[in-house]
Amino acid sequence: MSTAAAGPSAPPAAVLCGLAGWVPSRMVTNEHLARRLDTDDAWIRTRTGIRRRYVVDPGQATSDLAVEAGRRALASAGTHAVDAVIVATTTPDHTCPATAPAVAARLGLTGAAAFDISAVCTGFVYGLASAAGLIAAGVAERVLLIGADAYSTIVDPLDRANAIIFGDGAGAVVLRAGCPDEPGAVGHFDLGSDGAHEDLITVAAGGSRQRSRPGEPNHEDRHFAMRGKEVYRHAVTRMAESARATLTRAGRKTADVDHFVPHQANLRILYSVADDLGLPRERCVTHVESVGNTGAASIPLALADAAARQTLRPGDRLLLTAFGGGLTWGSCLLTWPALRAPAPPDREERMTS
Ligand code: UT7
Protein backbone atom coordinates (compact mmCIF):
# COMPACT_ATOMS: atom_id res chain seq x y z
CA MET A 1 0.00 0.00 0.00
CA SER A 2 1.26 3.50 -0.65
CA THR A 3 0.11 7.07 -0.27
CA ALA A 4 0.66 9.59 -3.02
CA ALA A 5 2.50 12.88 -2.61
CA ALA A 6 0.27 15.72 -1.44
CA GLY A 7 -0.21 18.57 -3.96
CA PRO A 8 -1.36 22.17 -3.39
CA SER A 9 -5.05 21.22 -3.25
CA ALA A 10 -4.36 18.05 -1.29
CA PRO A 11 -6.09 17.14 1.98
CA PRO A 12 -4.33 18.12 5.21
CA ALA A 13 -1.14 16.30 6.13
CA ALA A 14 -0.44 14.84 9.57
CA VAL A 15 2.15 16.98 11.38
CA LEU A 16 4.04 15.80 14.46
CA CYS A 17 3.59 18.31 17.30
CA GLY A 18 4.14 16.32 20.51
CA LEU A 19 6.38 13.45 21.60
CA ALA A 20 7.21 11.54 24.77
CA GLY A 21 8.46 8.18 25.99
CA TRP A 22 8.06 6.23 29.19
CA VAL A 23 9.59 3.07 30.63
CA PRO A 24 8.65 1.33 33.89
CA SER A 25 10.97 1.69 36.88
CA ARG A 26 12.25 -1.90 37.23
CA MET A 27 15.57 -2.17 35.38
CA VAL A 28 16.85 -5.62 34.34
CA THR A 29 20.52 -5.69 33.32
CA ASN A 30 22.23 -8.48 31.42
CA GLU A 31 23.90 -9.47 34.70
CA HIS A 32 20.48 -9.83 36.35
CA LEU A 33 19.41 -12.20 33.55
CA ALA A 34 22.65 -14.21 33.76
CA ARG A 35 21.80 -15.01 37.39
CA ARG A 36 18.68 -16.95 36.40
CA LEU A 37 19.34 -17.99 32.78
CA ASP A 38 22.12 -19.85 31.00
CA THR A 39 23.45 -16.69 29.33
CA ASP A 40 25.97 -13.92 29.90
CA ASP A 41 26.47 -10.21 29.28
CA ALA A 42 29.03 -10.76 26.49
CA TRP A 43 26.67 -13.05 24.50
CA ILE A 44 23.76 -10.68 24.82
CA ARG A 45 25.76 -7.57 23.90
CA THR A 46 27.52 -9.26 20.97
CA ARG A 47 24.35 -10.78 19.50
CA THR A 48 21.93 -7.93 20.17
CA GLY A 49 23.71 -4.80 21.44
CA ILE A 50 21.36 -4.73 24.46
CA ARG A 51 22.76 -3.78 27.89
CA ARG A 52 19.55 -3.44 29.90
CA ARG A 53 15.77 -3.25 29.62
CA TYR A 54 12.89 -2.22 31.91
CA VAL A 55 9.95 -4.38 32.90
CA VAL A 56 6.58 -3.79 34.51
CA ASP A 57 5.88 -4.74 38.11
CA PRO A 58 3.24 -7.39 38.89
CA GLY A 59 -0.14 -5.70 38.46
CA GLN A 60 1.15 -3.11 35.98
CA ALA A 61 -0.27 -3.39 32.45
CA THR A 62 0.30 -1.93 29.00
CA SER A 63 -2.31 0.79 29.53
CA ASP A 64 -0.36 2.07 32.57
CA LEU A 65 2.67 2.67 30.34
CA ALA A 66 0.51 4.11 27.55
CA VAL A 67 -1.16 6.61 29.89
CA GLU A 68 2.21 7.89 31.18
CA ALA A 69 3.60 8.34 27.66
CA GLY A 70 0.33 9.78 26.36
CA ARG A 71 0.05 12.35 29.15
CA ARG A 72 3.59 13.57 28.47
CA ALA A 73 3.05 13.71 24.70
CA LEU A 74 -0.08 15.84 25.17
CA ALA A 75 1.91 18.18 27.45
CA SER A 76 4.70 18.33 24.86
CA ALA A 77 2.10 19.30 22.22
CA GLY A 78 0.59 21.86 24.61
CA THR A 79 -2.88 20.41 24.19
CA HIS A 80 -5.44 18.43 26.19
CA ALA A 81 -7.80 17.78 23.29
CA VAL A 82 -7.54 15.19 20.53
CA ASP A 83 -10.21 13.64 18.33
CA ALA A 84 -8.76 10.13 18.25
CA VAL A 85 -6.55 7.91 20.40
CA ILE A 86 -4.76 4.99 18.76
CA VAL A 87 -2.82 2.41 20.74
CA ALA A 88 -0.49 0.13 18.78
CA THR A 89 0.21 -2.96 20.89
CA THR A 90 0.73 -6.71 20.91
CA THR A 91 0.09 -6.91 24.65
CA PRO A 92 -3.33 -5.31 25.13
CA ASP A 93 -4.67 -5.23 28.69
CA HIS A 94 -7.42 -7.66 27.59
CA THR A 95 -8.33 -9.66 24.48
CA CYS A 96 -11.58 -7.68 24.58
CA PRO A 97 -12.13 -4.74 24.70
CA ALA A 98 -9.35 -2.74 23.07
CA THR A 99 -6.91 -0.87 25.32
CA ALA A 100 -7.25 2.55 23.63
CA PRO A 101 -10.70 3.52 25.04
CA ALA A 102 -9.51 2.93 28.62
CA VAL A 103 -6.31 4.90 27.93
CA ALA A 104 -8.39 7.74 26.44
CA ALA A 105 -10.70 7.79 29.46
CA ARG A 106 -7.78 7.90 31.90
CA LEU A 107 -6.31 10.82 29.96
CA GLY A 108 -9.59 12.74 30.22
CA LEU A 109 -10.34 12.11 26.52
CA THR A 110 -13.67 10.28 26.84
CA GLY A 111 -15.64 10.83 23.66
CA ALA A 112 -12.62 10.68 21.33
CA ALA A 113 -12.50 7.84 18.81
CA ALA A 114 -10.28 5.13 20.29
CA PHE A 115 -9.01 1.87 18.86
CA ASP A 116 -6.03 -0.49 18.91
CA ILE A 117 -3.73 -1.47 16.07
CA SER A 118 -2.35 -5.00 16.02
CA ALA A 119 0.65 -5.09 13.68
CA VAL A 120 3.22 -6.35 16.23
CA CYS A 121 6.50 -4.38 16.01
CA THR A 122 5.29 -2.50 12.91
CA GLY A 123 2.31 -1.16 14.85
CA PHE A 124 3.64 2.36 15.31
CA VAL A 125 4.26 2.91 11.58
CA TYR A 126 0.84 1.42 10.74
CA GLY A 127 -0.52 3.78 13.40
CA LEU A 128 1.14 6.80 11.78
CA ALA A 129 -0.46 5.87 8.45
CA SER A 130 -3.86 5.42 10.13
CA ALA A 131 -3.56 8.75 11.95
CA ALA A 132 -2.56 10.45 8.69
CA GLY A 133 -5.61 8.87 7.04
CA LEU A 134 -7.98 10.12 9.76
CA ILE A 135 -6.54 13.62 9.41
CA ALA A 136 -6.59 13.58 5.58
CA ALA A 137 -10.23 12.41 5.61
CA GLY A 138 -11.24 15.23 7.94
CA VAL A 139 -12.30 12.76 10.63
CA ALA A 140 -9.76 14.13 13.11
CA GLU A 141 -7.88 17.40 13.58
CA ARG A 142 -5.57 15.94 16.22
CA VAL A 143 -4.63 12.34 16.97
CA LEU A 144 -2.77 10.85 19.93
CA LEU A 145 -0.85 7.77 18.75
CA ILE A 146 0.77 5.55 21.38
CA GLY A 147 3.00 2.54 20.77
CA ALA A 148 2.98 0.52 24.01
CA ASP A 149 4.05 -3.00 24.82
CA ALA A 150 4.75 -5.06 27.93
CA TYR A 151 6.39 -8.12 26.40
CA SER A 152 7.55 -9.28 29.82
CA THR A 153 3.91 -10.28 30.41
CA ILE A 154 3.92 -12.77 27.48
CA VAL A 155 7.57 -13.92 27.25
CA ASP A 156 8.44 -17.02 29.27
CA PRO A 157 10.99 -15.74 31.82
CA LEU A 158 12.91 -19.01 31.37
CA ASP A 159 13.12 -18.67 27.57
CA ARG A 160 16.65 -17.28 27.26
CA ALA A 161 16.35 -16.54 23.54
CA ASN A 162 13.46 -14.10 24.02
CA ALA A 163 13.81 -12.97 27.65
CA ILE A 164 17.08 -11.22 26.79
CA ILE A 165 15.67 -9.28 23.86
CA PHE A 166 12.44 -7.71 24.99
CA GLY A 167 11.76 -4.79 27.30
CA ASP A 168 8.58 -2.92 28.25
CA GLY A 169 7.78 0.70 27.44
CA ALA A 170 5.59 3.21 25.64
CA GLY A 171 6.21 6.05 23.22
CA ALA A 172 3.58 8.55 22.11
CA VAL A 173 3.17 11.27 19.50
CA VAL A 174 0.51 13.90 18.85
CA LEU A 175 -0.28 14.60 15.21
CA ARG A 176 -2.25 17.63 14.01
CA ALA A 177 -3.67 18.69 10.65
CA GLY A 178 -1.18 20.80 8.71
CA CYS A 179 0.64 21.26 5.41
CA PRO A 180 2.72 18.57 3.69
CA ASP A 181 5.71 20.91 3.33
CA GLU A 182 5.97 22.10 6.95
CA PRO A 183 8.41 20.60 9.47
CA GLY A 184 6.77 17.69 11.27
CA ALA A 185 4.85 16.51 8.19
CA VAL A 186 4.61 12.71 7.92
CA GLY A 187 4.73 10.89 4.54
CA HIS A 188 5.35 9.18 2.08
CA PHE A 189 4.52 5.69 3.35
CA ASP A 190 5.16 2.09 2.42
CA LEU A 191 3.23 -0.64 4.27
CA GLY A 192 3.20 -4.38 3.61
CA SER A 193 2.64 -7.87 4.97
CA ASP A 194 3.24 -11.55 4.27
CA GLY A 195 0.92 -13.82 6.26
CA ALA A 196 2.47 -16.94 4.75
CA HIS A 197 5.07 -16.56 7.50
CA GLU A 198 2.65 -15.95 10.37
CA ASP A 199 4.19 -18.86 12.27
CA LEU A 200 7.56 -17.13 12.73
CA ILE A 201 6.31 -14.88 15.54
CA THR A 202 3.31 -16.14 17.52
CA VAL A 203 1.40 -16.52 20.73
CA ALA A 204 -0.38 -19.75 19.78
CA ALA A 205 -3.16 -19.97 22.37
CA GLY A 206 -5.92 -17.68 23.57
CA GLY A 207 -7.42 -16.68 20.21
CA SER A 208 -10.26 -18.22 18.18
CA ARG A 209 -7.94 -20.80 16.55
CA GLN A 210 -6.64 -22.29 19.79
CA ARG A 211 -9.14 -21.27 22.44
CA SER A 212 -8.58 -20.90 26.15
CA ARG A 213 -9.79 -23.97 28.03
CA PRO A 214 -10.37 -23.56 31.74
CA GLY A 215 -8.39 -26.19 33.65
CA GLU A 216 -6.00 -26.77 30.73
CA PRO A 217 -3.53 -23.92 30.98
CA ASN A 218 -1.07 -25.18 28.33
CA HIS A 219 1.48 -22.61 29.44
CA GLU A 220 3.86 -23.13 26.54
CA ASP A 221 1.31 -22.04 23.93
CA ARG A 222 0.40 -18.93 25.89
CA HIS A 223 3.92 -17.63 25.69
CA PHE A 224 5.47 -15.56 22.94
CA ALA A 225 7.44 -17.68 20.47
CA MET A 226 9.84 -16.48 17.77
CA ARG A 227 12.01 -18.33 15.25
CA GLY A 228 14.80 -15.80 15.73
CA LYS A 229 17.18 -16.71 12.91
CA GLU A 230 14.50 -16.76 10.21
CA VAL A 231 12.94 -13.57 11.57
CA TYR A 232 16.35 -11.93 11.46
CA ARG A 233 16.74 -12.73 7.74
CA HIS A 234 13.25 -11.47 6.84
CA ALA A 235 13.74 -8.36 8.98
CA VAL A 236 16.87 -7.25 7.16
CA THR A 237 15.44 -7.89 3.69
CA ARG A 238 11.99 -6.41 4.29
CA MET A 239 13.16 -3.32 6.14
CA ALA A 240 15.70 -2.49 3.43
CA GLU A 241 13.11 -3.05 0.65
CA SER A 242 10.48 -0.97 2.44
CA ALA A 243 12.91 1.88 3.13
CA ARG A 244 13.92 1.91 -0.55
CA ALA A 245 10.30 1.84 -1.75
CA THR A 246 9.48 4.84 0.44
CA LEU A 247 12.44 6.86 -0.82
CA THR A 248 11.54 6.00 -4.42
CA ARG A 249 7.93 7.12 -3.91
CA ALA A 250 9.14 10.39 -2.44
CA GLY A 251 11.68 10.92 -5.25
CA ARG A 252 14.44 10.86 -2.63
CA LYS A 253 17.80 9.14 -2.35
CA THR A 254 19.52 7.53 0.61
CA ALA A 255 21.84 10.55 0.75
CA ASP A 256 18.79 12.75 1.56
CA VAL A 257 18.23 10.88 4.85
CA ASP A 258 19.73 12.69 7.85
CA HIS A 259 18.56 10.11 10.42
CA PHE A 260 17.49 6.51 9.92
CA VAL A 261 15.13 5.37 12.70
CA PRO A 262 14.62 1.60 12.40
CA HIS A 263 12.57 -0.61 14.69
CA GLN A 264 14.97 -1.31 17.56
CA ALA A 265 14.93 -5.12 17.29
CA ASN A 266 18.61 -5.82 17.57
CA LEU A 267 21.65 -3.61 16.88
CA ARG A 268 23.02 -6.08 14.31
CA ILE A 269 19.75 -6.03 12.36
CA LEU A 270 19.51 -2.29 12.22
CA TYR A 271 23.15 -1.83 11.19
CA SER A 272 22.72 -4.53 8.51
CA VAL A 273 19.76 -2.62 7.09
CA ALA A 274 21.73 0.63 7.13
CA ASP A 275 24.67 -1.10 5.39
CA ASP A 276 22.33 -2.56 2.78
CA LEU A 277 20.91 0.92 2.10
CA GLY A 278 24.39 2.45 1.93
CA LEU A 279 23.61 4.67 4.93
CA PRO A 280 26.52 5.49 7.25
CA ARG A 281 25.92 3.83 10.63
CA GLU A 282 26.33 7.20 12.38
CA ARG A 283 23.00 8.21 10.82
CA CYS A 284 21.17 5.39 12.65
CA VAL A 285 19.18 6.44 15.69
CA THR A 286 19.74 3.64 18.22
CA HIS A 287 18.19 3.15 21.63
CA VAL A 288 17.99 -0.65 21.85
CA GLU A 289 21.13 -0.74 24.04
CA SER A 290 19.25 0.98 26.89
CA VAL A 291 15.72 -0.45 26.68
CA GLY A 292 15.84 -3.64 24.57
CA ASN A 293 13.27 -4.41 21.89
CA THR A 294 10.11 -2.65 23.09
CA GLY A 295 7.88 -3.75 20.20
CA ALA A 296 5.48 -1.07 18.98
CA ALA A 297 7.06 1.41 21.41
CA SER A 298 10.55 1.12 19.96
CA ILE A 299 10.44 3.83 17.25
CA PRO A 300 8.72 6.54 19.34
CA LEU A 301 10.97 5.71 22.32
CA ALA A 302 14.03 6.04 20.09
CA LEU A 303 12.68 9.36 18.75
CA ALA A 304 12.01 10.66 22.27
CA ASP A 305 15.49 9.66 23.37
CA ALA A 306 17.16 11.30 20.34
CA ALA A 307 15.04 14.44 20.78
CA ALA A 308 15.98 14.65 24.46
CA ARG A 309 19.64 14.39 23.48
CA GLN A 310 19.06 17.10 20.86
CA THR A 311 20.51 15.00 18.06
CA LEU A 312 17.53 15.83 15.81
CA ARG A 313 17.41 19.35 14.35
CA PRO A 314 14.31 21.02 12.94
CA GLY A 315 14.23 20.41 9.19
CA ASP A 316 16.22 17.14 9.39
CA ARG A 317 14.78 14.39 7.21
CA LEU A 318 14.04 11.13 9.04
CA LEU A 319 13.31 7.72 7.56
CA LEU A 320 11.35 5.42 9.90
CA THR A 321 11.29 1.68 9.11
CA ALA A 322 9.71 -1.14 11.08
CA PHE A 323 9.28 -4.90 10.84
CA GLY A 324 7.34 -7.35 12.97
CA GLY A 325 5.20 -10.44 13.32
CA GLY A 326 2.53 -11.06 10.73
CA LEU A 327 4.84 -10.66 8.97
CA THR A 328 4.36 -6.91 8.66
CA TRP A 329 6.62 -4.07 7.66
CA GLY A 330 6.37 -0.37 6.97
CA SER A 331 8.30 2.86 6.47
CA CYS A 332 7.65 6.55 6.29
CA LEU A 333 9.45 9.84 5.93
CA LEU A 334 9.20 12.63 8.48
CA THR A 335 10.69 16.11 8.54
CA TRP A 336 11.72 16.93 12.08
CA PRO A 337 9.77 19.80 13.70
CA ALA A 338 10.76 22.23 16.47
CA LEU A 339 9.50 20.44 19.60
CA ARG A 340 9.88 20.97 23.29
CA ALA A 341 12.65 18.42 24.07
CA PRO A 342 11.09 15.60 26.12
CA ALA A 343 12.85 14.05 29.11
CA PRO A 344 14.84 10.96 28.06
CA PRO A 345 12.67 7.84 28.38
CA ASP A 346 15.63 5.91 29.78
CA ARG A 347 15.25 6.03 33.56
CA GLU A 348 18.94 5.81 34.39
CA GLU A 349 19.76 8.71 32.06
CA ARG A 350 16.83 10.65 33.45
CA MET A 351 18.12 10.26 36.97
CA THR A 352 21.66 11.28 36.04
CA SER A 353 20.83 14.14 33.67
O1 UT7 B 1 10.87 -7.36 16.99
C1 UT7 B 1 10.39 -8.29 16.03
C2 UT7 B 1 11.48 -8.75 15.19
N1 UT7 B 1 12.41 -9.53 15.96
C3 UT7 B 1 13.65 -9.61 15.57
O2 UT7 B 1 13.99 -8.99 14.60
C4 UT7 B 1 14.59 -10.56 16.28
C5 UT7 B 1 15.37 -11.32 15.24
N2 UT7 B 1 16.32 -12.30 15.75
C6 UT7 B 1 17.41 -12.00 16.52
O3 UT7 B 1 17.59 -10.89 16.94
C7 UT7 B 1 18.40 -13.10 16.78
O4 UT7 B 1 18.07 -14.21 15.98
C8 UT7 B 1 18.49 -13.53 18.25
C9 UT7 B 1 19.13 -12.42 19.08
C10 UT7 B 1 17.11 -13.87 18.78
C11 UT7 B 1 19.39 -14.75 18.40
O5 UT7 B 1 20.66 -14.51 17.82
P1 UT7 B 1 21.28 -15.56 16.79
O6 UT7 B 1 22.62 -15.05 16.45
O7 UT7 B 1 20.31 -15.73 15.67
O8 UT7 B 1 21.44 -16.85 17.67
P2 UT7 B 1 20.77 -18.29 17.45
O9 UT7 B 1 19.31 -18.26 17.74
O10 UT7 B 1 21.20 -18.84 16.13
O11 UT7 B 1 21.52 -19.12 18.57
C12 UT7 B 1 22.92 -19.39 18.50
C13 UT7 B 1 23.29 -20.19 19.72
C14 UT7 B 1 22.40 -21.40 19.94
O12 UT7 B 1 23.20 -22.43 20.48
P3 UT7 B 1 23.74 -23.60 19.50
O13 UT7 B 1 22.50 -24.27 18.98
O14 UT7 B 1 24.55 -22.94 18.45
O15 UT7 B 1 24.54 -24.47 20.45
C15 UT7 B 1 21.43 -20.95 21.00
O16 UT7 B 1 20.92 -22.01 21.77
O17 UT7 B 1 23.14 -19.38 20.89
C16 UT7 B 1 22.30 -20.05 21.83
N3 UT7 B 1 21.55 -19.03 22.57
C17 UT7 B 1 22.05 -18.40 23.63
N4 UT7 B 1 23.25 -18.50 24.26
C18 UT7 B 1 23.46 -17.70 25.32
C19 UT7 B 1 20.30 -18.55 22.32
N5 UT7 B 1 19.98 -17.61 23.23
C20 UT7 B 1 21.05 -17.50 24.05
C21 UT7 B 1 21.33 -16.70 25.17
N6 UT7 B 1 22.53 -16.82 25.76
N7 UT7 B 1 20.45 -15.80 25.64
Side-chain angles (χ1 to χ4, degrees), residues 99-334:
T99 301
V103 169
R106 286 168 62 188
L107 289 170
L109 298 168
T110 298
F115 60 96
D116 288 3
I117 286 191
S118 175
V120 195
C121 298
T122 317
F124 183 75
V125 175
Y126 269 62
L128 281 178
S130 305
L134 291 175
I135 287 171
V139 174
E141 273 276 319
R142 278 204 197 87
V143 179
L144 172 63
L145 166 64
I146 309 172
D149 268 316
Y151 270 87
S152 69
T153 63
I154 58 169
V155 168
D156 179 352
L158 298 178
D159 171 2
R160 67 174 180 172
N162 287 313
I164 59 145
I165 300 176
F166 290 97
D168 302 339
V173 294
V174 178
L175 300 146
R176 63 166 173 81
C179 299
D181 54 1
E182 69 176 299
V186 174
H188 298 59
F189 280 95
D190 171 72
L191 302 180
S193 75
D194 182 359
H197 298 289
E198 65 168 356
D199 57 331
L200 294 186
I201 297 178
T202 56
V203 176
S208 58
R209 177 71 64 198
Q210 190 174 330
R211 301 171 201 181
S212 310
R213 290 193 198 115
E216 288 179 44
N218 196 355
H219 287 300
E220 209 170 86
D221 285 355
R222 286 168 193 278
H223 282 135
F224 177 87
M226 176 167 69
R227 304 223 302 263
K229 250 194 169 19
E230 287 161 79
V231 171
Y232 191 115
R233 269 204 319 275
H234 282 283
V236 174
T237 309
R238 296 301 193 181
M239 286 170 82
E241 283 173 358
S242 180
R244 270 199 194 91
T246 306
L247 289 170
T248 302
R249 272 184 201 129
R252 297 279 177 192
K253 295 192 164 39
T254 304
D256 298 329
V257 176
D258 298 304
H259 306 279
F260 179 48
V261 192
H263 165 50
Q264 308 282 304
N266 174 331
L267 207 57
R268 284 161 60 213
I269 292 181
L270 55 95
Y271 282 153
S272 297
V273 177
D275 293 349
D276 189 318
L277 293 171
L279 263 166
R281 290 184 176 187
E282 311 82 73
R283 288 199 216 158
C284 285
V285 171
T286 71
H287 187 43
V288 66
E289 307 92 323
S290 306
V291 295
N293 178 343
T294 54
S298 89
I299 287 181
L301 271 176
L303 288 174
D305 180 65
R309 290 172 202 286
Q310 303 189 337
T311 51
L312 308 176
R313 289 181 310 274
D316 282 356
R317 192 166 289 113
L318 276 60
L319 173 60
L320 279 45
T321 299
F323 173 86
L327 302 174
T328 55
W329 55 85
S331 302
C332 78
L333 286 166
L334 162 66

Side-chain angles (χ1 to χ4, degrees), residues 39-51:
T39 189
D40 57 72
D41 175 55
W43 193 96
I44 300 172
R45 271 192 293 112
T46 314
R47 300 285 176 135
T48 69
I50 299 166
R51 290 182 285 123

